[in-house]
Amino acid sequence: MAAVAPTLAMIGLALALPACCCGGGGGYHIVPGPPGTISGSLMLSGSPQAAAVYAISENNGSDIVDATRYAMARVEPPASTYSLTVPPGFYYVIARFDSDPNRFGGYTYDVADKQNNNENPGLASIAVSAVQRVGGIDIGDWGSQDSVTRGWWLGVYGLPLIDPLQPSPGLNAIPVRQLPAGMNSALSSTYIDTGFGVHFLLPTGWREIKAPGLARDNAFFANESVVSPVNLDDIGVWLSVLYGGNSCPYPDWRFVVATTAATVIGVRETFNFEDPPSQVGAQPFGGYGLLGGAVPAPGKQCLQLIFKSATRAALESNLPTIASLLSVVNFQG
């Protein structure tokens, strides 16, 4: 019984904690333990619509090469409320309608403080402790820049949250694959200078995609005329080129289905095939991917290259082009 008492005390404390903590959670202590919940409503001006709601973890790390971790819930008409189960931590909450997957709203400072209308559409931080039920996290400010930017990153490099109470997956029995050899004729003479030291030849028919309101040291490309990965069709492929962080992140071994090797900037590097779980509707773009990274020189940051496709067949059919592109990447900076 003595071992149970501290746990019960923690649960009682968690239930007594305030509902949210705005502004990055400064000074707020998260009580670890079993998951809690975040709930609220979609603020709508018309009839209810099918939507997806996301709790985005603030604990991803500060580097641009880190994945955006999320939990997701569906809202189906006539309902306009949601509930998300999340591990203890700090979160932002955003949503989008299936009918307009590139437009997001969120739980912003303005939504949190409806009475004063301070004209602050930045996302407010939400603190969740063990088994805590956090209610009243309503979603509005549709189209606000902070919500749109974080939602865009969710599609570019989003992965489901890791439950710290669950054991890490083992690394046994992951097959090793070989990338196609030789230079593919699909590489064009279009020379890409990203502006942050990374250079390569762009495949024929590919184009650069401009991201909404993002910081420097990243670039995005696709073989289709789209504005985000969620818009890719069954043959579409997306490339994210990210530069930042003192070391390259480890893969999410839950989703690695094979490993391979590629020579990038003269060094043989490990790349991983990832196959996150598929979603329903206009969800974060999980897709089927090949990703890896390299630190191009001593004292430099991580160069992360992420190829994603809506279908396994799309990426597999483009592997000769991808292998050729990787072989011509260079770094000057």
Side-chain angles (χ1 to χ4, degrees):
M1 241 353 242
V4 176
T7 301
L8 293 177
M10 286 174 59
I11 291 175
L13 175 61
L15 290 174
L17 289 170
C20 74
C21 179
C22 299
Y28 190 96
H29 176 67
I30 293 292
V31 177
T37 60
I38 302 171
S39 62
S41 301
L42 303 181
M43 299 171 65
L44 305 169
S45 58
S47 301
Q49 300 181 46
V53 183
Y54 312 97
I56 298 176
S57 174
E58 292 187 51
N59 302 324
N60 301 320
S62 59
D63 294 331
I64 196 172
V65 294
D66 292 323
T68 297
R69 300 286 179 175
Y70 70 88
M72 186 195 76
R74 293 286 303 165
V75 177
E76 302 290 351
S80 60
T81 61
Y82 73 91
S83 180
L84 287 157
T85 300
V86 295
F90 293 100
Y91 296 92
Y92 299 116
V93 175
I94 62 174
R96 63 174 159 198
F97 297 112
D98 288 4
S99 59
D100 192 359
N102 295 311
R103 185 170 180 261
F104 289 82
Y107 179 69
T108 65
Y109 289 100
D110 281 344
V111 171
D113 190 12
K114 303 180 184 71
Q115 294 180 337
N116 294 323
N117 190 23
N118 293 320
E119 295 186 0
N120 185 350
L123 289 168
S125 178
I126 302 156
V128 182
S129 282
V131 303
Q132 186 185 10
R133 297 182 294 272
V134 181
I137 307 302
D138 299 334
I139 298 173
D141 272 340
W142 299 97
S144 56
Q145 184 64 58
D146 199 3
S147 300
V148 170
T149 298
R150 292 185 186 275
W152 197 88
W153 272 111
L154 190 70
V156 167
Y157 195 17
L159 289 173
L161 280 167
I162 296 175
D163 186 347
L165 298 182
Q166 298 298 317
S168 299
L171 306 183
N172 298 327
I174 296 177
V176 177
R177 297 182 52 181
Q178 298 294 321
L179 290 179
M183 188 63 66
N184 188 272
S185 60
L187 285 188
S188 71
S189 59
T190 303
Y191 181 75
I192 296 297
D193 180 351
T194 60
F196 49 92
V198 182
H199 309 263
F200 57 91
L201 295 177
L202 193 66
T204 301
W206 288 51
R207 68 219 56 175
E208 185 172 4
I209 309 299
K210 297 298 182 182
L214 299 181
R216 60 186 180 87
D217 295 354
N218 52 73
F220 307 94
F221 306 86
N223 66 347
E224 297 180 332
S225 181
V226 294
V227 296
S228 78
V230 76
N231 303 121
L232 293 174
D233 63 20
D234 290 347
I235 61 172
V237 178
W238 179 279
L239 167 61
S240 300
V241 182
L242 312 177
Y243 181 65
N246 295 323
S247 62
C248 292
Y250 290 103
D252 192 326
W253 294 111
R254 296 176 299 169
F255 310 129
V256 174
V257 295
T259 66
T260 189
T263 300
V264 181
I265 318 176
V267 179
R268 199 71 172 162
E269 301 287 352
T270 298
F271 276 68
N272 297 287
F273 290 90
E274 288 189 0
D275 194 9
S278 60
Q279 306 288 357
V280 178
Q283 303 312 329
F285 181 75
Y288 179 68
L290 175 66
L291 58 155
V295 176
K300 299 299 182 180
Q301 295 181 305
C302 173
L303 167 61
Q304 181 90 326
L305 299 162
I306 305 172
F307 297 88
K308 303 280 271 187
S309 61
T311 65
R312 182 184 289 252
L315 190 78
E316 294 286 346
S317 65
N318 278 275
L319 280 181
T321 300
I322 291 171
S324 296
L325 187 155
L326 290 174
S327 71
V328 298
V329 172
N330 64 72
F331 183 88
Q332 299 172 355

